[in-house]
Amino acid sequence: MNESPVQLDEQSAAVFPAALAVKRSNWRLQLVWMVPMVALLIAGWLVVQSVMKSGPTITIRFSTGEGIEAGKTKIKFKNVDIGVIKSVELSGDHKTVIASAEMSRNAASMLVDDTRFWVVRPRISGGTVSGIGTLLSGSHVGMDIGSAQKTRSDFVGLESPPVLASGTPGREFVLKSDNLGSLDIGSPVFFRRLQVGQIVSFALDPEGAGMIIHVFINAPYDRYVTDDTRFWHASGVDVTLDTTGVKVNTESLVSVLIGGLAFENPSGATNRLEADAQHQYELFVGRAEAMKQHDAVVDKYVLNFKESVRGLTVGAPIDFRGIVIGEVSAINTHFDPATKEFSIPVEVSIFPERLISRDDSGSAVGAIPSERKEFADYLVKKGLRAQLRTASLLTGQLYIAIDFFPSAPKATVDWSKTTPQLPTVPGNLQGLQESITSLVAKLNKIPFEGIGNDLRKTLNDADTLMNTINTDVAPEAKSTLATARETLTSANRALQSDSPLQQSTAETMRELSRTAASFRALAEYLQRHPEALLRGKTEDK
């Protein structure tokens, strides 16, 4: 049986309920879009994580790009990686190199106004060697954290690494010097031959008349720096030739090779308080100059010498009976048109405080009179004079002695000059030279040539006399001596004990002895019998 489509629809409608059309929602998420949505969420999460973990981006300007590579050069602080150089390019004016660096998140607080960056390479400076490890690992950018509060993102890199890391305990001081000498950044500073600091920077002063040197003294040695501390060059070997001879001083082998500075407090310093940071000091040439007594009161005088001052130097001492009371400050020449003579005016600095009387305890009990003009006139009236003297025969150095010369001609202080002029007397050397000159003049007056001629004539006469003696006198004298020898021989034979003369003489002497005995007996008899002279000898009964 064939049924029509209409009938089939009616039958189906009777069996199944009618379908209702529902409107499709526009926000319905299709299953096919779930995968890209999840991928997008993961990518976003990774981006957020990357942003949260990454730090700021900074730029650093360097004078050269040596040792810097984009994507490879690390930025390190205390040898820990805290960033990496992402790009390197020239500046717009082509004078510098701009390096863009991406820092780690924990490095954000380190990027303050005085933070410093530099390229770490092998260096030798101030006697120290640094950056040796980069020979194998390659260069990297070093970083030192500043102490400022203001943050920044652009920096200028240092040409050389800083000498000191920020926060190093100690204090910095300023020295003023005429020149730099052999010093360099990093040169050591010594205290009693112990290295206690280093030079951190130097520059010309604004006028260009000298150098300003910044030194850093490490703690705890910085407490030995006081207002009275003296700094001096300890570079190399200090050879001094002065009135006491030759002196050789050096601080250490390091200072001999690379130079350095040294400081010390004078033995008589009364101010022991620690100096403030950035306190300024004068840098002296050597220790002797630095440790000199610095007097507050200085009187200037001129000493006019008419003799040679060879051997007298600026700084030579002014001596008063063994006590140094001043020094030579300048040596000049002067020509007097009136007398047509040259003289040597020597400017000296006198320190009157060194003449203050002190008791046994060292306390001052007397002072130089305030009216020093009247006092100087009084001393000159008593014979005070200045005189050049030799300090060392080895070096020929001179010094000026001030002493009393009662027999010196009368003189006064010339107060009419801008600098008062003290009278002088000739030095001992000049007196010796005058004596030698006088002696030489007297010797020149002796007729040595005539004396030589007379002596030569006398010697000729002596030669003639000797020839005469040899030709005439000598033969006769020889004959006479032979005759005298024969006579002596005969006399010797006659005086022998067995010679006839000796025997005759002995017999004669015996006869004389018997005769003397007879006379003695006769004299004794006549003494007993004087009448026998008249009566004759009578027979004894």
Side-chain angles (χ1 to χ4, degrees), residues 215-478:
V215 298
F216 187 87
I217 308 299
N218 302 317
Y221 308 107
D222 57 335
R223 62 190 178 94
Y224 299 116
V225 181
T226 67
D227 291 342
D228 289 338
T229 297
R230 312 285 173 80
F231 287 83
W232 67 87
H233 280 275
S235 303
V237 179
D238 181 14
V239 181
T240 305
L241 180 65
D242 56 13
T243 57
T244 60
V246 180
K247 296 180 180 179
V248 180
N249 295 315
T250 182
E251 199 65 31
S252 68
L253 181 60
V254 176
S255 65
V256 172
L257 297 176
I258 64 173
L261 302 177
F263 71 90
E264 192 176 333
N265 294 316
S267 57
T270 58
N271 188 356
R272 297 293 182 179
L273 297 177
E274 297 181 21
D276 297 330
Q278 302 298 324
H279 189 85
Q280 293 187 356
Y281 297 92
E282 180 182 359
L283 181 60
F284 295 94
V285 176
R287 185 181 187 278
E289 181 69 20
M291 301 308 290
K292 275 185 178 181
Q293 183 178 352
H294 293 75
D295 299 85
V297 181
V298 181
D299 291 340
K300 296 287 187 178
Y301 293 95
V302 172
L303 307 176
N304 197 22
F305 294 101
K306 294 185 178 180
E307 56 192 292
S308 174
V309 295
R310 181 181 179 85
L312 185 69
T313 59
V314 174
I318 309 297
D319 181 276
F320 176 72
R321 297 183 176 179
I323 300 176
V324 177
I325 62 170
E327 62 182 16
V328 176
S329 55
I331 302 175
N332 304 307
T333 57
H334 175 71
F335 177 75
D336 190 352
T339 60
K340 307 297 182 181
E341 293 181 350
F342 280 97
S343 61
I344 311 296
V346 178
E347 296 182 13
V348 298
S349 300
I350 304 296
F351 311 123
E353 290 180 335
R354 301 188 184 183
L355 296 173
I356 295 177
S357 302
R358 301 183 182 274
D359 56 15
D360 296 337
S361 63
S363 301
V365 297
I368 299 300
S370 57
E371 297 296 335
R372 290 197 290 275
K373 181 177 179 180
E374 288 76 4
F375 185 63
D377 288 334
Y378 170 78
L379 295 178
V380 170
K381 184 178 180 181
K382 290 293 184 180
L384 186 72
R385 301 290 188 274
Q387 183 185 52
L388 287 174
R389 293 182 182 176
T390 302
S392 174
L393 295 177
L394 176 64
T395 62
Q397 294 290 304
L398 298 179
Y399 72 98
I400 297 178
I402 292 183
D403 208 338
F404 291 95
F405 299 85
S407 59
K410 292 184 178 181
T412 58
V413 181
D414 188 356
W415 299 102
S416 62
K417 305 290 185 181
T418 304
T419 303
Q421 181 174 321
L422 292 177
T424 62
V425 294
N428 296 333
L429 182 61
Q430 184 181 11
L432 178 61
Q433 291 176 344
E434 293 176 354
S435 300
I436 294 175
T437 302
S438 178
L439 177 61
V440 170
K442 292 179 180 180
L443 291 176
N444 289 333
K445 294 180 180 179
I446 299 176
F448 288 104
E449 185 176 357
I451 294 175
N453 294 332
D454 294 341
L455 181 60
R456 190 178 297 108
K457 183 178 179 182
T458 302
L459 291 175
N460 293 332
D461 294 343
D463 290 339
T464 303
L465 177 62
M466 291 301 297
N467 291 331
T468 303
I469 291 174
N470 290 332
T471 54
D472 298 338
V473 178
E476 294 296 333
K478 185 176 181 181

